[in-house]
């Protein structure tokens, strides 16, 4: 079978970049069956260093170096690559990559540095897969136009509900319905903390565990103060609802004011406290809000526990349709990157139009 060759540059080799690399090693055979020949030709990480080999990097070796030594610039020091030390922009522009995987940290104020990485990649005519929420939350329309102009795909499934396919679920599986309203639980860390507080853990203990498990953002106040779900709500408004909103315009209240005692009191009264994101239409405008709410224990969202997320889409012809699944995690988010890669391949080989 003829295979399409995808040379990937990983911009970021943190939790998600490494989670995806592990998956790639495991799923190489499956990708071949799908008709993809995938190589990672470059890894560029601000802490671990930057390496480029046009013939492909040995991912097991790179993973092993980082996991076992955990030393700054370890890839440059100990991985024998023909080119080293290139910054992200040079890596995007000058490597023989044709797919840029942007998995650096999220910045919901400016989108940077991810935004520059994505713009550079699209302008160079390279497909982009990102789990970084900043660029798509802040500059979706501009990036979409850039992707169209350069005839490439821009994929961002992992930005909302990690590997649970929220974007494709709405955009493709529900194509044709009118979306009246969306509500859901879009942050794994806070849902994990709220669940653990029901079980008697303190806020701080639960947050530490969420960090240990790789759910929390680099700065966990992004989760606690609901910036992260506000960013995800903005992504849904901009990409799926046809609206235009900045994360700062999403009404927002986090879970800082929620104590173990209040969670347990709600429980006794037949409620659960959940951080609920809501997107709705108001005339021509699409609005969004994220706030903690008391949900009756009989409500489907009350049963969404731990790092699980959920999205309920209220439609004209189907009533309410709900997707429940993991919302964070290294392999879970790595899976979103794999899914986007397979999607790009499917679209290319079926002659689909480029889109973002
Ligand atoms: N910090 C995010 C969460 C990661 O907890 O949901 C996934 O976007």
């Amino acid at each position: 079978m003829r295979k399409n060759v995808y040379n990937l540059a990983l911009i970021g080799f943190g939790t998600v970049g490494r989670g995806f690399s592990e998956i790639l090693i495991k799923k190489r055979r499956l990708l071949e069956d799908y008709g993809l020949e995938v190589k990672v030709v470059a890894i560029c990480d601000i802490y671990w260093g930057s390496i480029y080999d046009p013939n492909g990097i040995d991912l097991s070796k790179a993973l092993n170096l980082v996991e076992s030594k955990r030393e700054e610039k370890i890839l440059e020091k100990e991985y024998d690559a023909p080119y080293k030390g290139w910054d992200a922009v040079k890596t995007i522009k000058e490597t023989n990559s044709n797919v840029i995987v942007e998995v650096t940290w999220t910045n919901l104020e400016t989108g940077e540095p991810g935004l520059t990485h994505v713009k550079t990649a699209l302008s160079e005519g390279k497909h982009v897969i990102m789990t970084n929420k900043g660029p798509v939350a802040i500059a979706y329309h501009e990036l979409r136009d850039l992707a169209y102009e350069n005839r490439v795909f821009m994929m961002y499934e992992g930005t909302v509900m990690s590997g649970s396919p929220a974007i494709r679920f709405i955009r493709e599986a529900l194509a044709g319905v009118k979306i009246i309203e969306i509500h859901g639980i879009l942050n794994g860390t806070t849902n994990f903390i709220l669940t653990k507080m029901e079980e008697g853990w303190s806020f701080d203990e639960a947050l530490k565990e969420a960090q240990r498990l790789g759910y929390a953002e680099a700065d966990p106040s992004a989760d606690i103060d609901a910036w992260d779900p506000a960013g995800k709500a903005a992504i849904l408004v901009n990409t799926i609802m046809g609206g235009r909103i900045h994360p700062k315009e999403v009404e927002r209240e986090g879970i800082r004011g929620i104590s173990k005692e209040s969670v347990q009191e709600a429980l006794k009264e037949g409620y659960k406290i959940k951080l609920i994101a809501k997107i709705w239409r108001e005339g021509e405008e699409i609005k969004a809000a994220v706030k903690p709410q008391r949900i009756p224990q009989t409500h489907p969202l009350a049963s969404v526990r731990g790092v699980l997320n959920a999205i309920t889409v209220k439609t004209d012809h189907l009533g309410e349709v709900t997707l429940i699944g993991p919302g964070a995690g290294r392999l879970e988010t790595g899976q979103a990157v794999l899914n986007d890669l397979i999607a790009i391949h499917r679209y290319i080989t079926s002659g689909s139009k480029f889109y973002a």
Side-chain angles (χ1 to χ4, degrees):
M1 182 167 68
R2 214 185 114 249
K3 293 203 171 44
N4 281 35
V5 177
Y6 299 91
N7 283 348
L8 274 45
L10 303 187
I11 309 301
F13 202 50
T15 308
V16 178
R18 301 209 298 281
F20 170 61
S21 299
E22 269 176 43
I23 291 181
L24 207 50
I25 294 168
K26 274 197 229 143
K27 302 267 175 161
R28 199 163 287 282
R29 187 62 209 280
L30 173 121
L31 287 169
E32 279 175 16
D33 291 346
Y34 272 115
L36 291 85
E37 188 182 317
V38 181
K39 264 190 281 190
V40 170
V41 293
I43 298 175
C44 176
D45 185 275
I46 197 155
Y47 186 80
W48 307 118
S50 176
I51 52 177
Y52 167 44
D53 185 338
N55 295 316
I57 282 168
D58 179 341
L59 277 181
S60 303
K61 201 166 160 187
L63 278 171
N64 195 31
L65 274 175
V66 166
E67 310 276 0
S68 64
K69 305 223 167 164
R70 311 203 73 81
E71 253 175 62
E72 197 170 356
K73 303 284 178 210
I74 187 70
L75 293 175
E76 285 171 27
K77 283 185 205 157
E78 296 202 15
Y79 191 99
D80 185 20
Y83 306 95
K84 296 183 180 187
W86 291 14
D87 67 16
V89 169
K90 186 173 164 89
T91 301
I92 293 165
K93 281 187 169 172
E94 296 184 25
T95 55
N96 65 343
S97 56
N98 55 358
V99 180
I100 302 300
V101 178
E102 215 294 341
V103 284
T104 65
W105 67 94
T106 291
N107 169 341
L108 287 173
E109 298 249 356
T110 64
E112 296 295 359
L115 183 54
T116 297
H117 300 160
V118 175
K119 279 187 191 165
T120 307
L122 297 174
S123 306
E124 291 291 317
K126 300 192 176 189
H127 305 295
V128 170
I129 298 173
M130 67 183 126
T131 61
N132 182 345
K133 290 151 272 201
V136 72
I138 286 170
Y140 169 70
H141 299 92
E142 186 191 347
L143 296 175
R144 178 199 58 189
D145 293 350
L146 205 53
Y148 280 138
E149 263 167 44
N150 290 283
R151 305 177 58 73
V152 285
F153 289 101
M154 177 176 80
M155 298 285 176
Y156 41 86
E157 184 58 70
T159 59
V160 181
M161 286 183 71
S162 74
S164 309
I167 309 258
R168 231 163 257 131
F169 162 63
I170 300 176
R171 191 180 246 171
E172 298 193 8
L174 293 181
V177 300
K178 174 170 178 168
I179 298 169
I180 296 157
E181 195 175 288
I182 294 177
H183 59 276
I185 295 172
L186 297 182
N187 182 264
T189 301
T190 49
N191 202 54
F192 180 85
I193 293 173
L194 291 170
T195 306
K196 285 292 174 199
M197 290 202 297
E198 286 166 14
E199 295 167 8
W201 292 40
S202 73
F203 188 102
D204 290 343
E205 283 166 346
L207 172 59
K208 263 198 201 120
E209 183 64 359
Q211 285 172 311
R212 193 185 68 79
L213 292 167
Y215 304 154
E217 294 301 299
D219 171 4
S221 83
D223 299 297
I224 307 306
D225 296 318
W227 281 110
D228 171 78
K232 290 166 178 163
I235 291 173
L236 293 176
V237 169
N238 293 331
T239 63
I240 281 164
M241 297 289 284
R244 198 179 263 266
I245 198 170
H246 188 282
K248 279 188 185 152
E249 293 164 334
V250 174
E251 277 177 52
R252 185 183 51 79
E253 185 187 326
I255 64 160
R256 244 177 234 284
I258 312 279
S259 63
K260 178 169 86 180
E261 288 69 29
S262 53
V263 168
Q264 295 191 340
E265 200 182 297
L267 212 54
K268 274 191 217 134
E269 292 166 8
Y271 292 90
K272 295 222 173 171
I273 298 181
K274 294 287 183 192
L275 184 63
I276 302 291
K278 184 176 166 198
I279 297 168
W280 71 100
R281 295 177 188 275
E282 225 172 85
E284 293 298 293
E285 253 190 282
I286 316 282
K287 303 259 182 141
V290 184
K291 289 178 191 166
Q293 282 177 23
R294 280 162 77 99
I295 303 284
Q297 278 178 36
T298 48
H299 191 282
L301 288 184
S303 66
V304 176
R305 294 175 60 76
V307 73
L308 289 185
N309 280 191
I311 192 164
T312 297
V313 186
K314 192 170 169 191
T315 69
D316 54 353
H317 296 149
L318 287 175
E320 290 191 351
V321 191
T322 299
L323 174 75
I324 299 179
R330 61 188 257 128
L331 293 180
E332 291 82 350
T333 314
Q335 165 60 33
V337 179
L338 183 79
N339 195 256
D340 276 345
L341 185 60
I342 295 171
I344 289 178
H345 176 69
R346 278 216 186 106
Y347 295 134
I348 288 176
T349 49
S350 65
S352 268
K353 278 211 176 124
F354 293 103
Y355 81 73

